[in-house]
Structures are given as structure tokens and as C-alpha cells.
Amino acid sequence: MSSTQTDVTNISGAITPSSFLIKKALLYPSNKTEPVDIRDMILKMDVEESLSNPFIVIEAFVQDGGNYFSRLRLNGNEKVELIVGRRKQADSEALDEDQKWEMTLTLIDVFQYSRMSANKQYYTLRMVSPWVVTDASKLVVNEFEGTMAGAIEKILRNNLSIERIEKINTSSKGSVQGVFPTISPLKAASWLLNNCYEESTPFFLYETCKKGVYLDSLKSMYDKDVQETYELKSFFSNTPGSAEYFDEIRTRIIKFSSPINYSQFSNIKKGVYGSEFEAIDIFNKKFIQNDYRYSDNTKLNKFQPFSNNDKVGELNLNQITQGRTFHVNLNPGAFEQSNIHQPLDNTIMKGEAYYNAMSTNVMKMQILGNFGLEVGNKIRVDISKASSAAALDESNMFDKYLGGDYIIQKIESNFEQKFIQSITLVRDSVGVDIDSKDPSEVDRNE
């Protein structure tokens, strides 16, 4: 792969959604010499962004035929400026702003060095968001006061000096006080994040290639509009080379798979449908007990992910509260305001239920590259039924049980001969009532 070979076209010469172009890849050496353009050295590049990580990780496999490893004194901590993008098919409905990523990174690792000839050497450059290195050099030892989201924002801006912040959701309720126990900034943010909720839904701290860092709640993700609808079906409606075909293939699923981790046993143990809460109030000398039962929860799709007919013994799944128990120490007299654990009093059971319910149904899909997608986006997936085309009519061809709305949990982007993405999707609910019968089954039984 080189910068002159990546603007992929199809056989008719039209741009395809798998095309890409490394427009800029400048590496700034530690010895302060002029930056070096490494675009033509990159043979392969993998990019990972996830709801679980407040930073991006990029690995570039390079072919070095100019002895740059030694000339640049590569040793890690070098700055890299990267722009990757593409042209789009004329008259396509794809947005112009969704055709490019622009990032500043820090090289943290040079590894997998190999040499198969005298004049070429190969190695991999691992690059991350700059604040990962900043985080390794600092400790947070101060006290904090205010909302959880507000305290996290101060860490991002003041301790980590992050400028590329797209959204800080400040809707977490309740003011608290506390002292950071001498930990790194990202660990401090993660510590606060564990107790940060909006309407009982958890918060996530993550970064996307397109826009930057987000601090946002699951409720906010649910409230988003569907960004894209992707289809898995066996035919195309438009002529290759046309703008309509570009848009159709751009939203076509190449592969759809799952680890099939749909487990009611696992959800019971995680407290998704019910749990118990036990707290010791040290200040007031009280023992507090409470329980949680799944009942008309806010969901991504219309229907709950379990059957009302399922029982364990004589109990429905949402009547089982002893599958998981939470233990919390409370000390409301320690500060004038509540301490860090106070939000857990009323929210930990439902908050953990929401968090773990997200992985009730995990799917992976492979698509042609889309620079506009971000983790945390809500998308819709239409999956054709696993049947012959002759047995399906277009009005009833999609599988409503597998299809529906999903949240993007992880994006793995691969740039080699083509731009391909592997998308991990999660959801807490399904598109049909589990207790309903398939219409074809009803027809056969009548």
C-alpha cells in the first residue's frame, strides 16, 4: 500500500466506499530535525476505538527502505500528524464531513522488527492519543467537589490538557465531595465514572476518530437519532458506478456474526433482571436493605430481552433478586455534602442492570469503510431471513428478531488494499415480543 494506490475504484472507474487515501502522515523525530513524511512507508494500518477506552490506538506496519529507523533515532514519544480520507461518488447522499479523519498522535512503541533482505526493514508503529503519555507522568492527589461529570471534566481539561473534546454531558445529578487517593488522571476519571449516572444509566468516557473525546450517558445514546441503517440481503437495486449504488453498497453488511452469548443464566448472575442492595450507614448506625426488579425499563428496542413465561422454580426472571447482591459503605456525615459513594445508594442496582444488559445481545458486522461512524452511535440493522430468495417477498424479508437498533460499542478499522471496518454492536432488547409466535407457525397450527 502506498499513498498513490489507495484511492480504490471499481472496474468502471467509479469511486467505491472501500477507497481511502492517507493524505498526511508526518512523524516528528525526537532529535528535532524536520518532520518526515512516512505515507509511502505504510503497508497496513489498524485503528481501534471503543466505548471502553478514552483514547484511540493505531498500529501501522511499515516498510523502511531508507534506514529511517536509525536516521530518525526512533525510540518512542515522537509526535505523528495523520489525515486519512477519500473522495466520494459525485451526487452521493453521504455527507462531505464524513469523508476524513484528522488526528495528532504520540508514538509509544516500535515493535515486531524484521529484516528479510539487506535493503529493507519492517516494523510496526503503535500510536495513541497524546494524553495517554501525559497520564503516565502525573498523579492526582487533590480533593474534589461538585457533580461526578464536572469532576471528570476538570481532570480531562486541567490534568490531561485535552483540547479535542467533543461533548461533556453534565447531566449527572447530585453534588459530592472526596479526595483522590493518589492515582493517575485516567484512573481517577474511571473511579468517578463508576458512580456517575443519568436517570440510572451509566456514563462512558471514550474517544472517536472523527470528533474526539466524549463523556456521555447511555440514556443520551438511546435518545440519539439512528445515524445509519445497514442491510444484509442478497441483491442490489442499483447499477454499479452510479451514486445510488455507492450509497447502497456503503450501507451493505458484508458479514454478520455473533459469539451467541445470549444467556439468561448470565444475566441473572449479573443482576440484569433483579438484585439486592445492602449498605452500612456508619454515621447514622443503620443497616439498609433494598432490592431491584426489572419492570418496564428504558430500552433501545421495544421489547424486553426475556420471556415472561420463563421461571426458575416458582419465580419469574425479574423476581429473582438474590442472583447478585451489592454491598456499600455509606458515611453521610464525613463531609458537608455527600461523599463519592452516596450516588450508589439509589442507583447502583439499576445502573449495573442497564450496563450489563447492553451485552445481552452482541453482534459483529463487517462493512466497507465509513469515516462518519463513531462508537456510541445508534444504528439500525435490517437482516434478511435465512431462507432462499424465492421463499421471501420484499414486504416480509427481514428478520425482526435479529434486526433492530444497536449501539456501536467498538470499531476496528483496517486500511490495507481496501478500507474495511469490523463493528461490534450491543443492545439490551429485541425487536419482537419473545412470547409471540412466528406467523408461519401460527398458520401451520390453524
Side-chain angles (χ1 to χ4, degrees):
M1 184 186 85
S2 76
S3 61
T4 58
Q5 296 174 327
T6 55
D7 212 358
V8 180
T9 59
N10 63 22
I11 195 169
S12 65
I15 297 294
T16 76
S18 62
S19 66
F20 70 97
L21 189 66
I22 300 180
K23 299 181 177 181
K24 180 180 182 181
L26 288 181
L27 187 150
Y28 290 78
S30 298
N31 59 12
K32 303 297 184 182
T33 56
E34 289 298 312
V36 176
D37 188 343
I38 62 170
R39 284 180 297 172
D40 289 339
M41 295 170 57
I42 298 174
L43 299 178
K44 176 185 175 184
M45 189 165 67
D46 296 308
V47 182
E48 181 179 305
E49 50 189 300
S50 169
L51 279 182
S52 303
N53 281 335
F55 53 86
I56 292 165
V57 180
I58 298 180
E59 293 185 357
F61 179 61
V62 301
Q63 174 184 274
D64 180 356
N67 201 36
Y68 285 106
F69 189 100
S70 298
R71 287 169 55 192
L72 302 179
R73 310 291 193 263
L74 291 182
N75 64 97
N77 207 38
E78 291 87 356
K79 184 175 80 169
V80 178
E81 293 179 347
L82 181 68
I83 300 177
V84 188
R86 67 154 169 253
R87 294 181 292 138
K88 68 173 186 178
Q89 180 74 25
D91 300 322
S92 163
E93 294 181 356
L95 300 176
D96 290 336
E97 59 265 30
D98 289 346
Q99 308 305 316
K100 183 176 70 172
W101 291 341
E102 185 170 356
M103 295 170 282
T104 299
L105 306 156
T106 298
L107 174 62
I108 63 165
D109 199 6
V110 184
F111 65 105
Q112 291 181 337
Y113 179 91
S114 64
R115 198 156 182 172
M116 292 175 282
S117 65
N119 61 348
K120 289 181 183 178
Q121 53 189 347
Y122 300 86
Y123 45 89
T124 300
L125 306 176
R126 180 179 288 128
M127 299 164 283
V128 296
S129 307
W131 46 91
V132 176
V133 178
T134 305
D135 178 70
S137 66
K138 290 188 175 183
L139 292 175
V140 182
V141 296
N142 57 284
E143 62 183 24
F144 62 89
E145 181 178 345
T147 65
M148 295 290 186
I152 294 172
E153 181 178 12
K154 288 179 181 178
I155 291 173
L156 301 180
R157 296 189 187 277
N158 300 339
N159 298 90
L160 296 175
S161 302
I162 300 177
E163 297 180 357
R164 193 170 177 255
I165 295 178
E166 176 62 23
K167 179 180 180 181
I168 299 291
N169 182 340
T170 58
S171 298
S172 65
K173 303 299 181 183
S175 185
V176 298
Q177 286 180 293
V179 178
F180 293 115
T182 314
I183 51 180
S184 69
L186 285 179
K187 285 185 178 178
S190 178
W191 182 55
L192 294 174
L193 202 64
N194 289 332
N195 299 343
C196 192
Y197 300 95
E198 180 184 11
E199 295 186 14
S200 297
T201 67
F203 271 68
F204 295 86
L205 178 61
Y206 59 97
E207 184 187 12
T208 72
C209 294
K210 181 184 176 184
K211 290 186 176 179
V213 173
Y214 288 78
L215 175 63
D216 207 4
S217 70
L218 186 61
K219 176 187 180 300
S220 177
M221 296 177 196
Y222 283 179
D223 290 343
K224 290 179 181 178
D225 294 331
V226 171
Q227 185 195 11
E228 295 274 12
T229 297
Y230 284 88
E231 293 183 335
L232 177 66
K233 59 184 183 181
S234 58
F235 61 89
F236 290 93
S237 303
N238 296 288
T239 304
S242 65
E244 293 78 13
Y245 180 78
F246 178 94
D247 289 331
E248 186 177 16
I249 196 172
R250 184 177 64 84
T251 56
R252 181 59 55 90
I253 298 172
I254 301 171
K255 181 182 178 182
F256 196 67
S257 62
S258 173
I260 306 297
N261 61 331
Y262 204 161
S263 169
Q264 303 302 359
F265 173 77
S266 176
N267 279 352
I268 290 171
K269 297 298 290 182
K270 292 176 181 177
V272 171
Y273 308 134
S275 60
E276 292 184 343
F277 173 86
E278 295 181 353
I280 297 176
D281 184 336
I282 299 171
F283 183 77
N284 294 304
K285 307 299 187 291
K286 286 183 180 180
F287 179 67
I288 303 168
Q289 288 182 297
N290 208 338
D291 62 35
Y292 156 76
R293 299 164 194 257
Y294 186 109
S295 177
D296 196 30
N297 286 23
T298 300
K299 298 180 289 294
L300 190 58
N301 294 281
K302 183 177 180 180
F303 297 99
Q304 67 187 29
F306 64 96
S307 169
N308 290 320
N309 297 322
D310 285 344
K311 292 182 181 293
V312 177
E314 298 299 319
L315 299 176
N316 292 333
L317 297 189
N318 62 339
Q319 295 175 321
I320 302 170
T321 61
Q322 295 182 345
R324 186 174 184 186
T325 303
F326 298 93
H327 302 276
V328 177
N329 290 327
L330 300 175
N331 188 6
F335 299 97
E336 292 182 6
Q337 300 182 53
S338 301
N339 70 7
I340 186 175
H341 298 300
Q342 194 65 35
L344 300 178
D345 190 1
N346 298 314
T347 56
I348 186 170
M349 291 182 290
K350 197 167 186 178
E352 284 294 296
Y354 273 119
Y355 179 82
N356 289 305
M358 281 184 65
S359 57
T360 291
N361 200 189
V362 179
M363 293 288 178
K364 293 193 77 169
M365 70 175 187
Q366 190 178 82
I367 60 171
L368 300 182
N370 185 341
F371 287 103
L373 282 184
E374 299 179 274
V375 292
N377 284 160
K378 180 166 72 173
I379 66 168
R380 182 168 184 81
V381 174
D382 289 336
I383 306 295
S384 64
K385 294 177 180 177
S387 183
S388 65
L392 299 175
D393 61 84
E394 194 165 352
S395 63
N396 191 34
M397 66 179 294
F398 290 117
D399 188 327
K400 294 182 180 179
Y401 187 61
L402 284 174
D405 292 344
Y406 287 84
I407 296 294
I408 298 178
Q409 194 272 334
K410 186 178 182 180
I411 301 176
E412 298 166 278
S413 301
N414 173 259
F415 298 88
E416 198 167 359
Q417 296 303 316
K418 296 180 179 180
F419 175 22
I420 302 293
Q421 290 178 307
S422 178
I423 314 291
T424 301
L425 304 171
V426 295
R427 65 176 181 175
D428 61 357
S429 48
V430 291
V432 294
D433 185 352
I434 289 178
D435 291 329
S436 66
K437 292 182 172 60
D438 188 280
S440 61
E441 292 291 332
V442 174
D443 292 342
R444 283 200 292 269
N445 292 331
E446 288 181 346

